Amino acid sequence: NAGVTQTPKFRVLKTGQSMTLLCAQDMNHEYMYWYRQDPGMGLRLIHYSVGEGTTAKGEVPDGYNVSRLKKQNFLLGLESAAPSQTSVYFCASSLHRDLEETQYFGPGTRLLVL
Amino acid sequence: GQNIDQPTEMTATEGAIVQINCTYQTSGFNGLFWYQQHAGEAPTFLSYNVLDGLEEKGRFSSFLSRSKGYSYLLLKELQMKDSASYLCAAMDSNYQLIWGAGTKLIIKP
């Protein structure tokens, strides 16, 4: 099992460009999450999904969109990138969203917006 | 509001013991997680506490006091590979994880 994978690993964008980050998991998990991690701050939830075809906003959703067309994939889109979106993006998944349910993380995507 | 506090950085010596503290304030509480994150890598699960007390897993132990909103991670017999950031996260009433900024642990020979 590959677990949680993310593509790309690193990307440089110019302000105003768009891109899509792909997350895939092969553990048949229901829940998937997109976080961003910035220096000196905790992981912040951008959007999450409780199952195929459903998405919900997290703590910092502005400037991002997501889609979960297939259970194993969760896409994060930036329509018009801004320098404030320079960050490391982590995707995670969990079987359920319940007590003691561990989240499994992908290796991260490092995004630099110039 | 919801908040997690943990020290920014700690230094310890190889072979020693270190305790990393975490205090939390959340809307409801469904447990406290500790994750380890090596530089440039993904966080990986270490422990989960929902009841008061100490949970031991080999060299790592985690403690929770719900009444004090307090947890700590205890690492014994420190090894160089334990150099990493340790993330504290509390699960709120909506089963959402609220994350601390992490404690960078530096191990010296």
Short mmCIF file of all heavy atoms in Angstrom, two decimals, chain A residues 33 35 37 40-45 48 57-59 90 97-108 110, chain B residues 29-31 33 35 37 39-45 48 50 87 91-92 94-102:
data_model
loop_
_atom_site.label_atom_id
_atom_site.label_comp_id
_atom_site.label_asym_id
_atom_site.label_seq_id
_atom_site.Cartn_x
_atom_site.Cartn_y
_atom_site.Cartn_z
N TYR A 33 -8.64 15.27 4.08
CA TYR A 33 -8.43 16.63 4.58
C TYR A 33 -7.31 17.30 3.80
O TYR A 33 -6.36 16.66 3.37
CB TYR A 33 -8.00 16.60 6.06
CG TYR A 33 -8.80 15.68 6.95
CD1 TYR A 33 -8.52 14.31 7.00
CD2 TYR A 33 -9.82 16.17 7.75
CE1 TYR A 33 -9.25 13.47 7.83
CE2 TYR A 33 -10.55 15.34 8.58
CZ TYR A 33 -10.26 13.98 8.62
OH TYR A 33 -10.98 13.15 9.43
N TYR A 35 -4.65 20.43 4.60
CA TYR A 35 -4.10 21.37 5.58
C TYR A 35 -3.02 22.20 4.90
O TYR A 35 -2.39 21.79 3.94
CB TYR A 35 -3.41 20.62 6.73
CG TYR A 35 -4.30 19.86 7.67
CD1 TYR A 35 -4.51 18.49 7.50
CD2 TYR A 35 -4.86 20.49 8.78
CE1 TYR A 35 -5.29 17.78 8.40
CE2 TYR A 35 -5.64 19.78 9.69
CZ TYR A 35 -5.84 18.43 9.49
OH TYR A 35 -6.60 17.72 10.39
N GLN A 37 0.59 24.26 6.28
CA GLN A 37 1.49 24.40 7.41
C GLN A 37 2.45 25.54 7.13
O GLN A 37 3.18 25.52 6.15
CB GLN A 37 2.27 23.11 7.67
CG GLN A 37 3.10 23.15 8.94
CD GLN A 37 3.78 21.81 9.23
OE1 GLN A 37 4.30 21.14 8.37
NE2 GLN A 37 3.75 21.41 10.51
N GLY A 40 5.85 28.62 12.46
CA GLY A 40 5.35 29.22 13.68
C GLY A 40 3.85 29.05 13.91
O GLY A 40 3.31 29.61 14.88
N MET A 41 3.21 28.31 13.04
CA MET A 41 1.76 28.10 13.19
C MET A 41 1.45 26.62 13.14
O MET A 41 2.20 25.84 12.55
CB MET A 41 1.00 28.82 12.09
CG MET A 41 1.28 30.30 12.03
SD MET A 41 0.29 31.11 10.76
CE MET A 41 -1.31 31.09 11.53
N GLY A 42 0.35 26.26 13.75
CA GLY A 42 -0.09 24.87 13.66
C GLY A 42 -0.68 24.57 12.30
O GLY A 42 -0.98 25.48 11.52
N LEU A 43 -0.87 23.30 12.03
CA LEU A 43 -1.57 22.91 10.82
C LEU A 43 -2.96 23.55 10.82
O LEU A 43 -3.65 23.53 11.84
CB LEU A 43 -1.71 21.39 10.75
CG LEU A 43 -0.44 20.60 10.46
CD1 LEU A 43 -0.59 19.15 10.88
CD2 LEU A 43 -0.10 20.70 8.99
N ARG A 44 -3.35 24.10 9.68
CA ARG A 44 -4.67 24.72 9.59
C ARG A 44 -5.49 24.01 8.51
O ARG A 44 -5.00 23.82 7.38
CB ARG A 44 -4.54 26.21 9.28
CG ARG A 44 -3.97 27.01 10.45
CD ARG A 44 -3.94 28.49 10.15
NE ARG A 44 -2.96 28.82 9.12
CZ ARG A 44 -2.89 30.01 8.51
NH1 ARG A 44 -3.74 30.96 8.83
NH2 ARG A 44 -1.96 30.24 7.60
N LEU A 45 -6.70 23.65 8.86
CA LEU A 45 -7.55 22.89 7.96
C LEU A 45 -8.16 23.82 6.92
O LEU A 45 -8.79 24.83 7.25
CB LEU A 45 -8.66 22.21 8.76
CG LEU A 45 -9.60 21.30 8.00
CD1 LEU A 45 -8.84 20.10 7.44
CD2 LEU A 45 -10.74 20.82 8.91
N TYR A 48 -12.29 19.81 3.96
CA TYR A 48 -12.28 18.39 4.20
C TYR A 48 -13.47 17.73 3.51
O TYR A 48 -14.36 18.42 3.00
CB TYR A 48 -12.28 18.08 5.70
CG TYR A 48 -13.51 18.51 6.46
CD1 TYR A 48 -14.54 17.61 6.73
CD2 TYR A 48 -13.65 19.81 6.92
CE1 TYR A 48 -15.66 17.99 7.44
CE2 TYR A 48 -14.77 20.21 7.62
CZ TYR A 48 -15.77 19.30 7.88
OH TYR A 48 -16.89 19.69 8.57
N LYS A 57 -16.04 23.25 4.31
CA LYS A 57 -15.01 24.24 4.60
C LYS A 57 -14.40 23.99 5.96
O LYS A 57 -15.07 23.61 6.91
CB LYS A 57 -15.61 25.65 4.56
CG LYS A 57 -16.08 26.08 3.18
CD LYS A 57 -16.66 27.49 3.22
CE LYS A 57 -17.12 27.91 1.83
NZ LYS A 57 -17.68 29.29 1.85
N GLY A 58 -13.10 24.26 6.01
CA GLY A 58 -12.39 24.20 7.27
C GLY A 58 -12.15 25.58 7.83
O GLY A 58 -12.96 26.49 7.65
N GLU A 59 -11.02 25.74 8.47
CA GLU A 59 -10.70 26.99 9.15
C GLU A 59 -10.30 28.11 8.19
O GLU A 59 -10.63 29.28 8.41
CB GLU A 59 -9.55 26.74 10.14
CG GLU A 59 -9.08 27.94 10.93
CD GLU A 59 -7.84 27.62 11.75
OE1 GLU A 59 -7.41 26.44 11.79
OE2 GLU A 59 -7.27 28.56 12.35
N PHE A 90 -0.46 19.77 3.13
CA PHE A 90 -0.54 18.35 3.47
C PHE A 90 -1.97 17.86 3.27
O PHE A 90 -2.93 18.49 3.70
CB PHE A 90 -0.13 18.11 4.92
CG PHE A 90 1.34 18.20 5.17
CD1 PHE A 90 1.88 19.34 5.74
CD2 PHE A 90 2.18 17.15 4.85
CE1 PHE A 90 3.25 19.43 5.98
CE2 PHE A 90 3.54 17.23 5.08
CZ PHE A 90 4.08 18.39 5.64
N ARG A 97 -14.26 9.71 11.36
CA ARG A 97 -13.93 10.94 12.07
C ARG A 97 -14.51 10.78 13.46
O ARG A 97 -15.59 11.22 13.76
CB ARG A 97 -14.55 12.14 11.36
CG ARG A 97 -13.92 13.45 11.75
CD ARG A 97 -14.61 14.58 11.02
NE ARG A 97 -13.90 15.83 11.18
CZ ARG A 97 -14.47 17.01 11.04
NH1 ARG A 97 -15.74 17.08 10.74
NH2 ARG A 97 -13.77 18.10 11.19
N ASP A 98 -13.75 10.10 14.29
CA ASP A 98 -14.29 9.64 15.55
C ASP A 98 -13.18 9.62 16.59
O ASP A 98 -12.03 9.91 16.29
CB ASP A 98 -14.87 8.23 15.36
CG ASP A 98 -15.90 7.88 16.40
OD1 ASP A 98 -15.98 8.61 17.41
OD2 ASP A 98 -16.61 6.89 16.22
N LEU A 99 -13.54 9.26 17.79
CA LEU A 99 -12.54 9.16 18.84
C LEU A 99 -11.40 8.25 18.41
O LEU A 99 -11.63 7.22 17.78
CB LEU A 99 -13.18 8.58 20.10
CG LEU A 99 -14.29 9.40 20.75
CD1 LEU A 99 -14.81 8.69 21.98
CD2 LEU A 99 -13.80 10.79 21.11
N GLU A 100 -10.23 8.66 18.71
CA GLU A 100 -9.03 7.86 18.50
C GLU A 100 -8.71 7.60 17.04
O GLU A 100 -7.78 6.85 16.72
CB GLU A 100 -9.13 6.51 19.25
CG GLU A 100 -7.79 5.87 19.53
CD GLU A 100 -7.90 4.67 20.45
OE1 GLU A 100 -9.02 4.34 20.90
OE2 GLU A 100 -6.87 4.06 20.73
N GLU A 101 -9.44 8.21 16.13
CA GLU A 101 -9.19 7.91 14.72
C GLU A 101 -7.99 8.68 14.23
O GLU A 101 -7.99 9.91 14.17
CB GLU A 101 -10.43 8.26 13.88
CG GLU A 101 -10.41 7.65 12.51
CD GLU A 101 -10.28 6.14 12.52
OE1 GLU A 101 -11.07 5.48 13.22
OE2 GLU A 101 -9.39 5.61 11.83
N THR A 102 -6.95 7.95 13.84
CA THR A 102 -5.70 8.55 13.41
C THR A 102 -5.82 9.10 12.00
O THR A 102 -6.44 8.47 11.13
CB THR A 102 -4.59 7.50 13.44
OG1 THR A 102 -4.51 6.96 14.75
CG2 THR A 102 -3.25 8.10 13.06
N GLN A 103 -5.23 10.25 11.77
CA GLN A 103 -5.12 10.78 10.42
C GLN A 103 -3.75 10.39 9.85
O GLN A 103 -2.74 10.51 10.53
CB GLN A 103 -5.28 12.30 10.42
CG GLN A 103 -6.69 12.74 10.76
CD GLN A 103 -6.91 14.23 10.62
OE1 GLN A 103 -6.11 14.95 10.01
NE2 GLN A 103 -8.01 14.72 11.18
N TYR A 104 -3.76 9.94 8.61
CA TYR A 104 -2.53 9.56 7.92
C TYR A 104 -2.22 10.64 6.90
O TYR A 104 -3.09 11.01 6.10
CB TYR A 104 -2.70 8.20 7.23
CG TYR A 104 -2.92 7.08 8.20
CD1 TYR A 104 -4.20 6.78 8.67
CD2 TYR A 104 -1.86 6.33 8.68
CE1 TYR A 104 -4.41 5.75 9.58
CE2 TYR A 104 -2.06 5.29 9.59
CZ TYR A 104 -3.34 5.02 10.03
OH TYR A 104 -3.54 4.01 10.93
N PHE A 105 -0.99 11.11 6.93
CA PHE A 105 -0.61 12.25 6.11
C PHE A 105 0.20 11.84 4.88
O PHE A 105 0.98 10.89 4.91
CB PHE A 105 0.23 13.23 6.93
CG PHE A 105 -0.57 14.04 7.90
CD1 PHE A 105 -0.97 13.51 9.12
CD2 PHE A 105 -0.95 15.34 7.57
CE1 PHE A 105 -1.72 14.26 10.01
CE2 PHE A 105 -1.70 16.10 8.46
CZ PHE A 105 -2.08 15.56 9.67
N GLY A 106 0.01 12.62 3.81
CA GLY A 106 0.86 12.51 2.65
C GLY A 106 2.16 13.26 2.88
O GLY A 106 2.32 13.94 3.89
N PRO A 107 3.10 13.16 1.92
CA PRO A 107 4.43 13.75 2.11
C PRO A 107 4.49 15.26 1.96
O PRO A 107 5.51 15.87 2.28
CB PRO A 107 5.26 13.08 1.00
CG PRO A 107 4.27 12.74 -0.04
CD PRO A 107 3.01 12.40 0.68
N GLY A 108 3.42 15.87 1.50
CA GLY A 108 3.39 17.33 1.40
C GLY A 108 3.72 17.86 0.01
O GLY A 108 4.43 17.22 -0.77
N ARG A 110 5.19 21.48 -1.52
CA ARG A 110 5.75 22.79 -1.20
C ARG A 110 5.43 23.74 -2.33
O ARG A 110 5.86 23.52 -3.46
CB ARG A 110 7.26 22.69 -0.97
CG ARG A 110 7.58 22.12 0.39
CD ARG A 110 8.87 21.34 0.44
NE ARG A 110 9.03 20.72 1.76
CZ ARG A 110 8.39 19.63 2.17
NH1 ARG A 110 7.56 19.01 1.36
NH2 ARG A 110 8.57 19.16 3.38
N PHE B 29 -14.28 18.46 23.95
CA PHE B 29 -12.99 17.76 23.92
C PHE B 29 -13.24 16.28 23.64
O PHE B 29 -14.02 15.63 24.33
CB PHE B 29 -12.27 17.93 25.26
CG PHE B 29 -10.95 17.22 25.34
CD1 PHE B 29 -9.84 17.72 24.65
CD2 PHE B 29 -10.80 16.06 26.08
CE1 PHE B 29 -8.61 17.07 24.71
CE2 PHE B 29 -9.59 15.40 26.15
CZ PHE B 29 -8.48 15.90 25.47
N ASN B 30 -12.54 15.79 22.61
CA ASN B 30 -12.67 14.38 22.26
C ASN B 30 -11.32 13.69 22.17
O ASN B 30 -11.17 12.71 21.43
CB ASN B 30 -13.44 14.24 20.93
CG ASN B 30 -14.94 14.36 21.12
OD1 ASN B 30 -15.52 13.71 22.01
ND2 ASN B 30 -15.58 15.18 20.32
N GLY B 31 -10.35 14.23 22.88
CA GLY B 31 -9.08 13.53 22.92
C GLY B 31 -7.91 14.39 22.50
O GLY B 31 -8.09 15.46 21.88
N PHE B 33 -4.00 14.27 20.75
CA PHE B 33 -3.07 13.52 19.91
C PHE B 33 -1.68 14.13 19.99
O PHE B 33 -1.53 15.34 20.11
CB PHE B 33 -3.51 13.56 18.45
CG PHE B 33 -4.76 12.80 18.13
CD1 PHE B 33 -6.01 13.34 18.41
CD2 PHE B 33 -4.70 11.56 17.52
CE1 PHE B 33 -7.18 12.65 18.10
CE2 PHE B 33 -5.86 10.86 17.20
CZ PHE B 33 -7.09 11.41 17.50
N TYR B 35 1.79 13.95 17.50
CA TYR B 35 2.38 13.51 16.25
C TYR B 35 3.86 13.92 16.24
O TYR B 35 4.24 14.93 16.84
CB TYR B 35 1.70 14.16 15.04
CG TYR B 35 0.39 13.52 14.62
CD1 TYR B 35 -0.78 13.70 15.36
CD2 TYR B 35 0.33 12.75 13.46
CE1 TYR B 35 -1.97 13.11 14.95
CE2 TYR B 35 -0.86 12.17 13.05
CZ TYR B 35 -2.00 12.36 13.80
OH TYR B 35 -3.18 11.78 13.39
N GLN B 37 7.03 14.94 13.65
CA GLN B 37 7.28 15.38 12.29
C GLN B 37 8.77 15.68 12.11
O GLN B 37 9.28 16.66 12.67
CB GLN B 37 6.45 16.63 11.95
CG GLN B 37 6.59 17.07 10.51
CD GLN B 37 5.72 18.26 10.14
OE1 GLN B 37 5.37 19.08 11.01
NE2 GLN B 37 5.36 18.38 8.89
N ALA B 39 11.95 16.98 9.92
CA ALA B 39 12.07 18.12 9.00
C ALA B 39 11.83 17.68 7.56
O ALA B 39 12.45 16.71 7.08
CB ALA B 39 13.45 18.75 9.14
N GLY B 40 10.95 18.38 6.89
CA GLY B 40 10.67 18.09 5.48
C GLY B 40 9.79 16.88 5.24
O GLY B 40 9.63 16.47 4.08
N GLU B 41 9.25 16.31 6.31
CA GLU B 41 8.44 15.11 6.15
C GLU B 41 7.02 15.32 6.68
O GLU B 41 6.68 16.38 7.22
CB GLU B 41 9.12 13.94 6.86
CG GLU B 41 10.47 13.57 6.28
CD GLU B 41 11.09 12.37 6.96
OE1 GLU B 41 10.41 11.71 7.78
OE2 GLU B 41 12.26 12.08 6.65
N ALA B 42 6.20 14.29 6.53
CA ALA B 42 4.82 14.36 7.00
C ALA B 42 4.74 14.04 8.48
O ALA B 42 5.57 13.31 9.01
CB ALA B 42 3.97 13.35 6.22
N PRO B 43 3.74 14.57 9.17
CA PRO B 43 3.50 14.17 10.56
C PRO B 43 3.11 12.69 10.63
O PRO B 43 2.40 12.19 9.76
CB PRO B 43 2.33 15.05 11.00
CG PRO B 43 2.31 16.20 10.03
CD PRO B 43 2.80 15.63 8.74
N THR B 44 3.57 12.02 11.67
CA THR B 44 3.18 10.63 11.90
C THR B 44 2.66 10.48 13.33
O THR B 44 3.18 11.10 14.26
CB THR B 44 4.34 9.65 11.67
OG1 THR B 44 5.44 10.04 12.49
CG2 THR B 44 4.78 9.64 10.22
N PHE B 45 1.66 9.66 13.50
CA PHE B 45 0.95 9.48 14.76
C PHE B 45 1.85 8.87 15.83
O PHE B 45 2.57 7.90 15.57
CB PHE B 45 -0.27 8.61 14.52
CG PHE B 45 -0.97 8.15 15.77
CD1 PHE B 45 -1.80 9.02 16.45
CD2 PHE B 45 -0.79 6.87 16.26
CE1 PHE B 45 -2.46 8.60 17.60
CE2 PHE B 45 -1.44 6.45 17.41
CZ PHE B 45 -2.27 7.31 18.07
N TYR B 48 -2.51 8.84 21.53
CA TYR B 48 -3.83 9.41 21.71
C TYR B 48 -4.26 9.19 23.16
O TYR B 48 -4.13 8.08 23.70
CB TYR B 48 -4.83 8.75 20.77
CG TYR B 48 -6.28 9.10 21.02
CD1 TYR B 48 -6.79 10.32 20.59
CD2 TYR B 48 -7.13 8.22 21.69
CE1 TYR B 48 -8.12 10.65 20.80
CE2 TYR B 48 -8.46 8.55 21.91
CZ TYR B 48 -8.94 9.76 21.46
OH TYR B 48 -10.26 10.10 21.68
N VAL B 50 -7.63 10.12 25.79
CA VAL B 50 -8.94 10.73 25.99
C VAL B 50 -9.33 10.69 27.47
O VAL B 50 -10.13 11.51 27.93
CB VAL B 50 -10.02 10.08 25.11
CG1 VAL B 50 -10.30 8.65 25.54
CG2 VAL B 50 -11.29 10.91 25.08
N LEU B 87 4.09 17.59 17.53
CA LEU B 87 2.86 18.36 17.37
C LEU B 87 1.79 17.84 18.31
O LEU B 87 1.50 16.64 18.35
CB LEU B 87 2.34 18.25 15.92
CG LEU B 87 3.34 18.45 14.79
CD1 LEU B 87 2.63 18.34 13.44
CD2 LEU B 87 4.06 19.77 14.92
N MET B 91 -8.81 17.30 19.80
CA MET B 91 -10.00 17.09 18.98
C MET B 91 -11.19 17.76 19.66
O MET B 91 -11.49 17.46 20.83
CB MET B 91 -10.25 15.59 18.80
CG MET B 91 -11.43 15.25 17.92
SD MET B 91 -11.56 13.48 17.59
CE MET B 91 -10.46 13.32 16.19
N ASP B 92 -11.88 18.65 18.94
CA ASP B 92 -12.97 19.39 19.56
C ASP B 92 -14.29 18.62 19.43
O ASP B 92 -14.32 17.47 19.00
CB ASP B 92 -13.06 20.81 18.98
CG ASP B 92 -13.51 20.85 17.53
OD1 ASP B 92 -13.97 19.82 16.99
OD2 ASP B 92 -13.40 21.94 16.92
N ASN B 94 -16.63 18.83 17.39
CA ASN B 94 -16.98 18.49 16.00
C ASN B 94 -16.00 17.47 15.41
O ASN B 94 -16.01 17.27 14.19
CB ASN B 94 -16.98 19.74 15.13
CG ASN B 94 -18.08 20.71 15.51
OD1 ASN B 94 -19.20 20.29 15.82
ND2 ASN B 94 -17.78 21.99 15.51
N TYR B 95 -15.19 16.87 16.25
CA TYR B 95 -14.17 15.90 15.83
C TYR B 95 -13.15 16.52 14.89
O TYR B 95 -12.53 15.84 14.08
CB TYR B 95 -14.82 14.66 15.19
CG TYR B 95 -15.71 13.93 16.14
CD1 TYR B 95 -17.09 14.09 16.08
CD2 TYR B 95 -15.19 13.10 17.13
CE1 TYR B 95 -17.92 13.44 16.98
CE2 TYR B 95 -16.01 12.45 18.02
CZ TYR B 95 -17.37 12.62 17.94
OH TYR B 95 -18.20 11.98 18.83
N GLN B 96 -12.96 17.85 15.01
CA GLN B 96 -11.94 18.53 14.22
C GLN B 96 -10.69 18.68 15.07
O GLN B 96 -10.78 19.00 16.26
CB GLN B 96 -12.46 19.90 13.78
CG GLN B 96 -11.48 20.69 12.95
CD GLN B 96 -12.13 21.92 12.32
OE1 GLN B 96 -13.20 21.83 11.74
NE2 GLN B 96 -11.48 23.05 12.43
N LEU B 97 -9.52 18.46 14.47
CA LEU B 97 -8.27 18.59 15.19
C LEU B 97 -7.81 20.04 15.20
O LEU B 97 -7.76 20.70 14.16
CB LEU B 97 -7.19 17.71 14.56
CG LEU B 97 -7.30 16.21 14.81
CD1 LEU B 97 -6.18 15.47 14.10
CD2 LEU B 97 -7.28 15.90 16.30
N ILE B 98 -7.50 20.54 16.38
CA ILE B 98 -6.91 21.87 16.56
C ILE B 98 -5.44 21.64 16.89
O ILE B 98 -5.13 20.97 17.89
CB ILE B 98 -7.59 22.65 17.69
CG1 ILE B 98 -9.11 22.63 17.51
CG2 ILE B 98 -7.05 24.08 17.74
CD1 ILE B 98 -9.61 23.20 16.20
N TRP B 99 -4.55 22.19 16.08
CA TRP B 99 -3.13 21.87 16.16
C TRP B 99 -2.31 22.97 16.84
O TRP B 99 -2.53 24.16 16.59
CB TRP B 99 -2.56 21.66 14.76
CG TRP B 99 -3.14 20.48 14.04
CD1 TRP B 99 -4.32 20.45 13.35
CD2 TRP B 99 -2.57 19.18 13.94
NE1 TRP B 99 -4.51 19.20 12.83
CE2 TRP B 99 -3.46 18.40 13.17
CE3 TRP B 99 -1.40 18.59 14.43
CZ2 TRP B 99 -3.21 17.05 12.88
CZ3 TRP B 99 -1.15 17.25 14.14
CH2 TRP B 99 -2.05 16.52 13.37
N GLY B 100 -1.35 22.55 17.64
CA GLY B 100 -0.34 23.47 18.13
C GLY B 100 0.71 23.70 17.05
O GLY B 100 0.76 22.98 16.05
N ALA B 101 1.55 24.70 17.28
CA ALA B 101 2.58 25.06 16.29
C ALA B 101 3.74 24.08 16.28
O ALA B 101 4.58 24.12 15.38
CB ALA B 101 3.08 26.47 16.55
N GLY B 102 3.80 23.21 17.28
CA GLY B 102 4.86 22.21 17.32
C GLY B 102 6.03 22.63 18.18
O GLY B 102 6.31 23.83 18.34
#
